[in-house]
Amino acid sequence: MNFPFHGPPPFGPGNPQQPPQPMPVSMPYPGQAGGPGAIQRTAGRFFRFALPAGWQVQENSNMLCLTSPDQRAAIMTVGLVGMMQAFSPDQFVHYAMHMQQMQVTGFLNGRPMQPPPGGTSAGMFEITYTVNGIPCHGVALSNVTLGYGQCNASMTLAGARAEAWPQFSGWLPQLATEVGPAGSQTFMAGQVAADNLRNSVELGQHFRAVNDYTQDQWQQVTNDRWASDERRNFEFRENLGAVHTYTNPYDNGRPIELSTQYRFYWVNRRGQIVGSDDPSYDPRVGSTDEWSEMPRYRA
């Protein structure tokens, strides 16, 4: 599968020229001219981060956004797991920005970085981009982990409106490096719903032992509530991750999240998956493998 964005990356096999020297990133002490003021290092439900005074926090299991009081600057983290596309760090910057309806207009600088433990590659990129047509400037940190036929990646962007960037460029990228997962549930929203469902079933079993009639009524209410929450979480996760969920008929209907890049997916008994936009495409033609089209999963 070809990555949907074209053009040589800022460094790597497509551009053998060495990148410029690392971008200077120095963080003034709180209270210094140009500094962020008071900073609170804290942890939310899914992320840990350094929060300047007065900044707003929004988070879910796949995304964190820290926004300045005047809405001119922000730190944003986006992560996706289990992708079929093998991204490079700069490609994932393009993909994540596009997913958030931000248009990258240029890579001004870039350099490889030491990936986190278990990671495959990482990079830091100075970029320009637009949000709703407004020119912006920022630094993006991108980490990619490849293995077991899938790609896990995250991007943290420290950005601001272009005219305000000089006020933030000296310290905002350093603050972005302090964003990290707060626990095992980060980027794995489905696991939270699964744990909640398991807990509700265990509670129902306890009530049934006390009073069968009362338990039947309670279990019905509980199941309806969690089913409704699961549907909302499922739809939110698909929209945020730009994925559709399919089932593998050779693996007891196990759900698999796949990119919206293709409309049709096929799988064989060995677990190999191919995608296509052509409704007439059939991998069984000319193949000795047994292939089956993957149906959409419905929560």
Side-chain angles (χ1 to χ4, degrees):
M1 304 179 191
N2 293 324
F3 186 72
F5 300 96
H6 301 286
F11 62 83
N15 185 2
Q17 182 178 359
Q18 291 298 315
Q21 292 300 311
M23 293 166 287
V25 174
S26 61
M27 181 175 174
Y29 290 104
Q32 278 188 318
I39 294 177
Q40 179 184 3
R41 287 173 173 80
T42 184
R45 184 178 179 186
F46 300 104
F47 294 92
R48 52 178 174 77
F49 48 88
L51 184 67
W55 283 47
Q56 298 177 349
V57 180
Q58 292 177 299
E59 71 166 337
N60 57 46
S61 60
N62 289 90
M63 184 175 179
L64 171 73
C65 188
L66 310 178
T67 311
S68 66
D70 58 9
Q71 305 292 308
R72 293 189 305 161
I75 293 176
M76 180 186 71
T77 292
V78 177
L80 294 173
V81 299
M83 296 180 291
M84 293 181 62
Q85 173 68 45
F87 290 102
S88 63
D90 56 296
Q91 287 175 330
F92 187 72
V93 170
H94 262 301
Y95 183 80
M97 297 287 284
H98 179 75
M99 185 175 64
Q100 298 301 318
Q101 299 182 353
M102 300 177 179
Q103 181 64 47
V104 176
T105 56
F107 277 81
L108 307 183
N109 207 330
R111 65 179 175 92
M113 298 178 62
Q114 180 68 32
T120 303
S121 57
M124 174 184 287
F125 310 96
E126 184 178 1
I127 62 174
T128 56
Y129 61 98
T130 60
V131 181
N132 296 325
I134 300 174
C136 299
H137 199 131
V139 170
L141 313 174
S142 179
N143 299 312
V144 173
T145 301
L146 304 176
Y148 302 101
Q150 67 178 21
C151 175
N152 301 336
S154 66
M155 179 203 74
T156 298
L157 170 70
R161 294 192 178 197
E163 73 278 5
W165 177 245
Q167 304 174 35
F168 296 95
S169 61
W171 58 270
L172 197 64
Q174 181 65 32
L175 230 59
T177 65
E178 299 199 35
V179 176
S184 61
Q185 299 306 319
T186 307
F187 306 138
M188 299 177 66
Q191 187 62 46
V192 176
D195 290 343
N196 290 337
L197 182 59
R198 184 179 64 252
N199 292 337
S200 98
V201 171
E202 293 174 354
L203 181 61
Q205 292 173 346
H206 171 72
F207 280 10
R208 187 181 300 112
V210 177
N211 188 309
D212 289 343
Y213 177 78
T214 302
Q215 168 54 26
D216 288 342
Q217 301 301 312
W218 172 254
Q219 189 66 50
Q220 184 63 46
V221 172
T222 302
N223 287 344
D224 290 346
R225 184 185 68 212
W226 284 118
S228 176
D229 288 347
E230 176 65 12
R231 283 193 297 271
R232 286 196 296 267
N233 290 340
F234 176 81
E235 292 171 358
F236 177 79
R237 187 169 64 251
E238 282 201 331
N239 291 335
L240 184 64
V243 297
H244 285 155
T245 305
Y246 297 80
T247 59
N248 184 349
Y250 298 123
D251 193 8
N252 297 320
R254 179 172 65 89
I256 302 175
E257 291 183 349
L258 300 173
S259 168
T260 55
Q261 179 181 4
Y262 297 108
R263 293 170 22 191
F264 308 99
Y265 284 94
W266 293 73
V267 63
N268 62 19
R269 289 191 175 275
R270 293 182 293 169
Q272 294 177 317
I273 297 174
V274 296
S276 174
D277 281 328
D278 184 358
S280 64
Y281 173 71
D282 190 340
R284 295 173 296 187
V285 176
S287 173
T288 58
D289 289 332
E290 181 179 348
W291 292 87
S292 179
E293 188 171 358
M294 304 178 69
R296 287 285 299 277
Y297 172 80
R298 302 297 178 186

